[in-house]
Amino acid sequence: MVKEAIGNKIKAVAVNIRKIREHRNYTQEYLAMKLDISQNAYSKIELGYTKITLERLYQIAQILEVDLVELIKNDSTEVLHLISDQRVSNAR
């Protein structure tokens, strides 16, 4: 039961990463280059196949310009809404 819940959360974070990357119009190749890994290795992160460290997750959050906590605690719709709200606030 716990293992399944953790697996679901990892997949949710992976979806958040992919949705934010797409929202920012970043390619997988771009993120892979910034993380100094192959595109294939990065793709596995987005698919939830690779267990990533907290350090790697923090790096991804920085590149995507999103708060790490928001990346973990919210679903992709909420994260994209927060990003849009931040852009509006920053434009003022």
Side-chain angles (χ1 to χ4, degrees):
M1 196 74 136
V2 172
K3 191 172 186 175
E4 183 179 331
I6 291 171
N8 289 338
K9 189 60 182 173
I10 290 169
K11 292 221 182 273
V13 171
V15 168
N16 286 348
I17 291 169
R18 181 178 55 84
K19 294 280 189 179
I20 296 166
R21 176 185 60 77
E22 290 171 346
H23 180 77
R24 299 257 191 243
N25 294 317
Y26 294 159
T27 63
Q28 286 187 346
E29 291 83 6
Y30 174 75
L31 261 83
M33 179 198 65
K34 296 293 267 181
L35 295 168
D36 198 28
I37 59 176
S38 70
Q39 183 274 326
N40 188 44
Y42 178 78
S43 176
K44 289 178 181 177
I45 290 171
E46 281 192 4
L47 293 170
Y49 296 161
T50 301
K51 292 181 181 179
I52 57 176
T53 63
L54 182 58
E55 180 180 357
R56 178 67 78 201
L57 192 58
Y58 182 76
Q59 291 169 339
I60 292 169
Q62 282 192 310
I63 295 165
L64 294 175
E65 302 171 46
V66 65
D67 184 52
L68 176 62
V69 174
E70 299 303 331
L71 189 63
I72 293 170
K73 79 175 187 175
N74 291 316
D75 71 24
S76 59
T77 305
E78 292 171 316
V79 172
L80 292 176
H81 183 72
L82 285 168
I83 291 170
S84 296
D85 286 351
Q86 288 172 353
R87 283 188 174 173
V88 170
S89 295
N90 291 340
R92 292 181 185 164

